[in-house]
Amino acid sequence: MRNLQLTAKGSSVAMDTREEERLLGSYDEENFEQISGNFRRIQVSVTGMTCAACSNSVESALMSINGVVKASVALLQNRADVTFDPALVKDEDITNAIENAGFDAEILSEPRTSCTKPDGTLVGQFTIGGMTCAACVNSVEGILRALPGVKKAVVALATSFGEVEYDPIAISKEGIVSAIEDAGFEASFIQSTGQDKAVLGVNGVSSAMDLQLLEGILCNLKGVRQFHFERTSKELEVHFDPAFLNSRSLIDEIERGSYGKFKLLVKNPYTRMVSKDLEESSKMFRLFTACLFLSVPVIFMRVVCPHIPFIYSLLIRRCGPFQMGDWLKWALVTIVQFVIGKRFYVAASRALRNGSTNMDVLVALGTSASYFYSVYALLYGAITGFWSPTYFETSAMLITFVLFGKYLESLAKGKTSDAIKKLVELAPATAVLLVKDKGGKILGEREIDALLIQPGDILKVLPGAKIPADGLVVWGSSYVNESMVTGESDPVLKEVISSVIGGTINLHGSLHIQANKVGSNTVLSQIISLVETAQMSKAPIQKFADFIASIFVPVVVTLALLTLLGWYLAGFLGSYPKEWLPENSNYFIFSLMFAISVVVIACPCALGLATPTAVMVATGIGANNGVLIKGGDALERAQKVNYVVFDKTGTLTQGRATVTTAKVFSGKDRSEFLKLVASAEASSEHPLAKAILEYACHFHFFDEGSTMKDVQNHVLKSKFSGWLLGVSDFSALPGRGIQCFIDGKHVLIGNRKLMTENQVTISSDVENFIVGLEESAETGILVAYDNELIGVLGVADPLKREAAVVIEGLVKMGVNPVMVTGDNWRTALAVAKEVGIRDVRAEVMPAGKADVIRSYQKGRNVVAMVGDGINDSPALAAADVGMAIGAGTDIAIEAADYVLMRNNLEDVITAIDLSRKTFARIRLNYVFAMAYNVIAIPVAAGVLFPWLKVKLPPWVSGACMALSSVSVVCSSLLLRRYKKPRLTTILEITVD
């Protein structure tokens, strides 16, 4: 009864149906295009496969057939998908090849050959244990990508985390977990984009009767597909149909069905991940301390005891065929080798089973050579009386040093994921739900878990409490501290219809908010997702390191064998004197010690840690400073940036346009002119239109002493207040303005180009007035009514106060600033002159900004684009590095590589400077990772021994190997001391 697997009635039929539909969908579009030509594709049922090695054997047998162009074998489904040329291969050739490999085969009915993309792929997140180096990562990724239905798989060594995009029709989450476990690694599912699973903590289950009650409730609950209860952890995993249930209704039904006996709590997936990190660190510490406790006596007997006569006399006392010291060493090291060191044998076996090699192979090889030779030396001495030296301490100390390195790595994982932990801690635990009747009347309050909030819920937020979800204020007024999300220190006033962000703190008054984004759609969840994605990504330099690590182990083993043969043959041929041999040794043992040292010292573990640990720290630092980095590749490109292109409106300027003047050039009254303009602009969503509407509304209703709050309230109601004129045939003209009809007359509001296109004459007086506005960095908006120009509005968008200093700072850093805008040349040049930008592109349509980016990318230039993330998406995507600034709540901007949460240009400098510092650290990490190998391998191989008599004992080689990993991890952790660059330092300004 410890683990109870429960499945709801009727679910097995659906599951079987889905299982039958799971075809091997690992072909990409190119493969399908080939199939549609002269090739044929069939599926074969293969029985008798038990592990990944079996599937590899079948696949190899199929690929060896002349005419087979593609073969994919799915171990989980016991099927093979084969594409072949029917002119060269027959169906029976395929079945014969599989049967000759030792398995049974049967051709299945003809599959569908149309190339149709699945309607909905899911992105699942998994924890993967047992990975030790880059070779393990490559092995897991290869296994996952070979699964049917898996479109993409990325695995991160530093976080022991994997992200898989898959087709749920072709393969299930359980199938992915099983594939990883079949390869010898540990795996568990965390969450996916599909809202069909809940992991709940259950209190109140203490007996078999309670389990039966729980089973009865779930089996009779409509929408439950499958469930599993883990009694030790009190966790209930439920798969359900979101058309019938959600997490909150599921909990309510279970608690109601148990009459309050069971109390359920939603398990936060991120909290579970953090706890797994702590468990891994604790486990490695226990292994290391146990190994150290057993290894120290062995070293003590070898190094110290010979100088203590009394103790040494006890150790050399004969006890049966061996001395007492030999018995003790053998007993202690056997525990270290096969109990504590079992993990290395398991990991090495699964690596070899999958046709790959990694650090565990080297450790198992080196320690086994030392241990089994020592056992052989004892037995040989007992039989022949010729006693050779033993090397038990080599095996013990090697495992000790490796575990020490692993323990430090696990600590580093915890340190580098501090940013995610802090973000998780921001999320509120509970929320106060206002329960209403169908008429909207509040019936009472109910406290619920914040993870159970649904869109549309009305939530009460008391002063000092965290806002539980993203939404809109529907009642109340208060100031909210949003610094933990946006980085802005000043509290923000929130009133009715104001948007709020989950995780921020309500400071003063009570608020009622309506939740509109919950779960993975909230700002906080998206920030966490961005940080995770960045830590999962691989920079190009890391991919190269992974490739080197994948071929490094075979090269090292070959080098070790050459070292063994070289020294042994040299001794056998008399190339060096016997005096070089240790006491009671021989040429083989003398050579073997050099070979073991080479195997151990050359472990590529540090090579695989050099980039991911630094990227993890950098993304965490960026998140803490309001700079969200989307990946290691973005970091690598950003550190090479030499051109930064700024959008003007909302980026260099504050994005809060205000009307500074309104001049009428016709006989119309000023009030009538503004009423006409406001009526036309009321249908537009452009920021300038809102500024004009606010100005006209203020002029129409209020005197100079009216408050902005009153103005905004009337602006919101202006369309229904009756004072605006009727508008028809409204249309927005990008890059020019708007047009509509009022009282049957054609109205045009926009720039010179719009007037010229519609044959509206611009008099010299109007032109001179507009030129004066543009030379003052203001934008002139022309208004024509019935093809006659009747007035001009002057609109100003103030510059951000830090704009000029940031531009100067970029120039000092060797970066060339560029400004691009759709505004006219006079206004653009005036703004550029004020901020210090010499390179300007004006009158550029939104779609043309991407062409401007491409024009700067010629040669070896690396171009960054800084925009507000709304109408700059094409340019952000075209740039080498896209930076969306002031994104606020709209942080999920696919086109950007960096999301600058604060509306502050100083973060552009922070982003570039952090990228440069990170890659300087990565280069240093590679020096640490490779220096030990490059310098120590020749020494370990005995190159210096003929002249200097210097050699590295295997246990010293193990210490050097561990030290290389420790050096890399500590080097990356030093990045945590990073401080944002001060502009005064960049500009070399002396501040008294």
Side-chain angles (χ1 to χ4, degrees):
M1 298 295 289
R2 178 182 175 184
N3 297 317
L4 178 64
Q5 178 72 39
L6 307 172
T7 304
K9 295 179 179 178
S11 63
S12 59
V13 176
M15 295 295 286
D16 291 341
T17 303
R18 289 195 298 274
E19 193 70 27
E20 289 298 321
E21 294 175 353
R22 287 177 188 168
L23 301 177
L24 299 175
S26 61
Y27 290 90
D28 54 22
E29 293 181 17
E30 181 180 353
N31 297 126
F32 277 113
E33 290 172 2
Q34 291 178 343
I35 294 170
S36 62
N38 298 322
F39 296 106
R40 182 174 171 229
R41 176 185 174 190
I42 65 170
Q43 290 191 3
V44 186
S45 174
V46 184
T47 57
M49 297 188 297
T50 58
C51 64
C54 299
S55 60
N56 291 338
S57 299
V58 174
E59 194 167 307
S60 299
L62 291 171
M63 290 302 297
S64 65
I65 302 174
N66 182 29
V68 172
V69 296
K70 179 73 176 179
S72 176
V73 179
L75 174 64
L76 301 177
Q77 280 76 36
N78 291 316
R79 294 186 186 183
D81 202 319
V82 188
T83 306
F84 59 93
D85 185 350
L88 300 175
V89 182
K90 298 180 180 179
D91 290 1
E92 52 265 29
D93 295 334
I94 294 174
T95 56
N96 290 338
I98 297 174
E99 290 171 353
N100 290 337
F103 304 93
D104 296 327
E106 179 184 353
I107 302 293
L108 299 176
S109 58
E110 196 75 17
R112 295 167 294 176
T113 58
S114 59
C115 178
T116 57
K117 290 187 177 180
D119 293 332
T121 59
L122 300 179
V123 177
Q125 297 172 338
F126 302 81
T127 57
I128 303 171
M131 297 187 298
T132 57
C133 65
C136 296
V137 173
N138 294 337
S139 177
V140 175
E141 286 184 346
I143 291 166
L144 291 173
R145 289 167 183 166
L147 292 175
V150 172
K151 310 302 179 185
K152 182 181 178 182
V154 182
V155 177
L157 172 64
T159 57
S160 298
F161 187 77
E163 192 167 85
V164 183
E165 182 181 351
Y166 65 97
D167 181 0
I169 297 177
I171 190 168
S172 65
K173 300 181 286 287
E174 294 76 14
I176 295 173
V177 171
S178 297
I180 299 172
E181 291 177 343
D182 285 344
F185 299 91
E186 300 171 1
S188 63
F189 174 73
I190 300 175
Q191 63 178 355
S192 74
T193 52
Q195 303 295 322
D196 61 349
K197 173 189 171 182
V199 179
L200 310 172
V202 184
N203 293 324
V205 177
S206 56
S207 65
M209 293 295 294
D210 294 331
L211 287 175
Q212 292 178 7
L213 175 60
L214 180 62
E215 178 184 2
I217 294 171
L218 290 170
C219 286
N220 293 315
L221 191 56
K222 186 177 182 181
V224 172
R225 292 172 173 167
Q226 188 177 8
F227 49 93
H228 173 77
F229 181 71
E230 173 68 43
R231 189 167 184 177
T232 55
S233 61
K234 303 291 186 182
E235 283 189 358
L236 173 66
E237 182 177 304
V238 184
H239 296 261
F240 56 86
D241 185 348
F244 295 97
L245 288 172
N246 56 48
S247 297
R248 191 164 80 201
S249 61
L250 174 66
I251 289 178
D252 289 345
E253 292 295 335
I254 295 174
E255 292 184 346
R256 186 181 300 114
S258 66
Y259 300 99
K261 179 176 178 57
F262 301 147
K263 297 296 181 183
L264 283 78
L265 179 69
V266 179
K267 294 285 187 177
N268 190 320
Y270 295 109
T271 304
R272 293 162 63 206
M273 287 175 57
V274 171
S275 65
K276 284 183 179 291
D277 289 340
L278 294 175
E279 290 175 7
E280 177 67 15
S281 180
S282 300
K283 179 181 178 181
M284 293 309 305
F285 180 73
R286 289 194 302 271
L287 289 173
F288 165 66
T289 52
C291 191
L292 183 65
F293 178 78
L294 295 172
S295 299
V296 167
V298 178
I299 297 297
F300 187 80
M301 285 186 281
R302 176 66 178 263
V303 178
V304 178
C305 289
H307 303 286
I308 305 176
F310 174 73
I311 297 178
Y312 187 64
S313 63
L314 295 176
L315 293 176
I316 63 175
R317 179 177 296 177
R318 185 72 59 179
C319 183
F322 309 123
Q323 296 177 351
M324 182 64 70
D326 294 331
W327 282 110
L328 289 174
K329 289 179 184 178
W330 173 79
L332 293 172
V333 175
T334 298
I335 297 174
V336 172
Q337 184 75 26
F338 298 108
V339 179
I340 298 176
K342 176 185 175 182
R343 57 181 285 121
F344 299 111
Y345 284 105
V346 172
S349 64
R350 68 188 173 214
L352 294 174
R353 192 173 65 210
N354 292 312
S356 63
T357 51
N358 57 16
M359 181 203 76
D360 300 295
V361 173
L362 294 179
V363 173
L365 189 62
T367 57
S368 296
S370 299
Y371 176 84
F372 287 112
Y373 164 73
S374 299
V375 172
Y376 166 78
L378 287 178
L379 295 175
Y380 184 78
I383 295 171
T384 65
F386 180 79
W387 298 93
S388 299
T390 59
Y391 295 92
F392 284 118
E393 68 281 350
T394 296
S395 175
M397 291 308 298
L398 177 55
I399 293 176
T400 302
F401 280 121
V402 172
L403 289 175
F404 178 63
K406 287 290 155 193
Y407 169 61
L408 291 181
E409 288 173 25
S410 65
L411 287 180
K413 289 179 184 179
K415 294 294 184 182
T416 50
S417 60
D418 277 350
I420 293 180
K421 293 177 185 176
K422 290 179 181 178
L423 290 170
V424 171
E425 290 171 356
L426 290 178
T430 60
V432 178
L433 174 68
L434 295 179
V435 182
K436 295 185 175 183
D437 60 15
K438 294 182 179 180
K441 182 180 179 181
I442 298 176
L443 301 177
E445 300 175 1
R446 173 190 172 192
E447 186 175 75
I448 63 171
D449 193 302
L451 296 174
L452 298 177
I453 297 173
Q454 301 294 327
D457 285 347
I458 304 298
L459 308 169
K460 181 179 181 179
V461 187
L462 297 174
K466 291 181 179 180
I467 292 176
D470 295 1
L472 295 175
V473 177
V474 295
W475 179 86
S477 173
S478 180
Y479 280 88
V480 174
N481 180 5
E482 296 183 341
S483 61
M484 63 285 298
V485 175
T486 64
E488 297 288 352
S489 58
D490 295 335
V492 181
L493 177 63
K494 300 294 181 180
E495 300 175 298
V496 174
I497 77 163
S498 296
S499 61
V500 291
I501 304 173
T504 56
I505 299 176
N506 180 27
L507 297 179
H508 302 299
S510 294
L511 295 174
H512 290 180
I513 68 168
Q514 183 178 35
N516 55 20
K517 291 182 179 179
V518 299
S520 60
N521 295 321
T522 64
V523 171
L524 194 57
S525 294
Q526 290 182 31
I527 293 175
I528 294 173
S529 178
L530 282 177
V531 175
E532 281 185 335
T533 302
Q535 294 179 349
M536 289 284 297
S537 67
K538 293 184 178 180
I541 191 174
Q542 182 185 343
K543 294 175 183 177
F544 176 74
D546 290 347
F547 170 73
I548 295 298
S550 66
I551 65 173
F552 201 67
V553 175
V555 171
V556 168
V557 173
T558 302
L559 183 60
L561 291 174
L562 292 175
T563 301
L564 174 63
L565 291 174
W567 276 103
Y568 180 75
L569 291 176
F572 182 78
L573 297 175
S575 299
Y576 57 85
K578 289 188 176 182
E579 287 75 15
W580 287 8
L581 302 181
E583 184 181 357
N584 295 332
S585 186
N586 56 48
Y587 290 120
F588 177 76
I589 302 306
F590 184 65
S591 305
L592 181 62
M593 290 301 105
F594 285 117
I596 293 174
S597 295
V598 170
V599 167
V600 174
I601 195 68
C603 177
C605 185
L607 193 65
L609 293 171
T611 298
T613 52
V615 170
M616 284 185 68
V617 175
T619 52
I621 291 170
N624 291 335
N625 287 283
V627 178
L628 302 182
I629 307 166
K630 287 195 173 181
D633 52 344
L635 276 168
E636 185 164 353
R637 294 194 302 270
Q639 53 105 18
K640 301 176 183 177
V641 165
N642 57 353
Y643 276 88
V644 175
V645 179
F646 290 93
D647 178 44
K648 178 179 77 72
T649 304
T651 302
L652 291 173
T653 65
Q654 295 179 12
R656 293 194 293 268
T658 56
V659 177
T660 58
T661 184
K663 188 170 180 63
V664 182
F665 288 93
S666 67
K668 277 187 176 292
D669 179 76
R670 181 184 176 91
S671 177
E672 293 179 358
F673 170 74
L674 291 176
K675 184 176 182 179
L676 177 74
V677 174
S679 300
E681 293 285 9
S683 299
S684 175
E685 296 295 327
H686 196 280
L688 294 182
K690 295 179 180 179
I692 293 170
L693 184 58
E694 183 175 307
Y695 179 83
C697 185
H698 190 287
F699 184 88
H700 184 82
F701 286 105
F702 301 99
D703 55 24
E704 296 298 326
S706 60
T707 65
M708 187 59 63
K709 176 181 175 181
D710 294 331
V711 174
Q712 290 174 342
N713 288 338
H714 275 275
V715 167
L716 292 170
K717 301 174 184 177
S718 60
K719 293 182 182 179
F720 310 100
S721 61
W723 74 282
L724 293 179
L725 303 173
V727 175
S728 61
D729 296 332
F730 173 89
S731 63
L733 308 171
R736 289 168 293 174
I738 65 166
Q739 65 176 351
C740 64
F741 285 87
I742 296 179
D743 295 334
K745 301 292 180 68
H746 193 201
V747 177
L748 297 170
I749 303 177
N751 54 22
R752 290 186 184 87
K753 187 175 182 180
L754 179 63
M755 301 299 148
T756 303
E757 289 176 352
N758 289 274
Q759 290 80 45
V760 176
T761 303
I762 303 175
S763 66
S764 58
D765 291 341
V766 174
E767 179 64 26
N768 292 334
F769 181 75
I770 296 172
V771 169
L773 291 175
E774 293 171 346
E775 290 177 346
S776 301
E778 296 183 22
T779 300
I781 298 178
L782 292 76
V783 181
Y785 181 69
D786 196 19
N787 291 330
E788 177 186 356
L789 200 149
I790 62 173
V792 175
L793 296 167
V795 180
D797 188 0
L799 287 170
K800 293 178 179 177
R801 58 184 181 182
E802 75 276 5
V805 182
V806 168
I807 296 301
E808 187 176 354
L810 288 172
V811 173
K812 293 280 186 179
M813 296 171 66
V815 179
N816 303 300
V818 181
M819 188 183 79
V820 60
T821 179
D823 216 333
N824 63 83
W825 273 101
R826 286 195 186 91
T827 302
L829 290 173
V831 172
K833 182 179 180 180
E834 194 170 345
V835 298
I837 295 179
R838 297 181 180 180
D839 199 346
V840 180
R841 300 291 181 94
E843 298 181 0
V844 179
M845 299 286 287
K849 292 179 181 178
D851 295 329
V852 173
I853 296 294
R854 296 186 188 99
S855 69
Y856 283 98
Q857 289 174 324
K858 297 177 180 178
R860 295 186 176 181
N861 293 333
V862 179
V863 182
M865 170 69 191
V866 185
D868 57 14
I870 300 173
N871 62 347
D872 299 320
S873 294
L876 290 170
D880 297 293
V881 180
M883 298 184 183
I885 188 171
T889 60
D890 186 24
I891 68 164
I893 302 174
E894 295 296 331
D897 300 295
Y898 284 73
V899 178
L900 312 181
M901 293 297 295
R902 302 189 311 160
N903 198 11
N904 193 318
L905 289 171
E906 293 180 26
D907 289 341
V908 176
I909 289 181
T910 300
I912 296 174
D913 182 68
L914 177 58
S915 300
R916 291 179 176 180
K917 293 286 196 330
T918 300
F919 263 79
R921 184 65 58 178
I922 288 174
R923 295 185 187 98
L924 181 61
N925 286 352
Y926 280 116
V927 171
F928 283 131
M930 297 301 296
Y932 291 92
N933 295 12
V934 172
I935 296 173
I937 285 179
V939 179
V943 172
L944 301 179
F945 188 79
W947 299 280
L948 303 178
K949 301 298 183 290
V950 174
K951 64 178 181 179
L952 287 179
W955 69 271
V956 175
S957 298
C960 291
M961 181 200 67
L963 192 59
S964 65
S965 298
V966 172
S967 299
V968 167
V969 171
C970 291
S971 173
S972 295
L973 289 178
L974 286 176
L975 263 179
R976 300 179 71 204
R977 301 174 62 184
Y978 173 85
K979 300 294 183 183
K980 292 176 61 176
R982 297 178 59 185
L983 290 177
T984 53
T985 303
I986 296 174
L987 301 178
E988 299 175 352
I989 300 174
T990 303
V991 181
D992 295 332

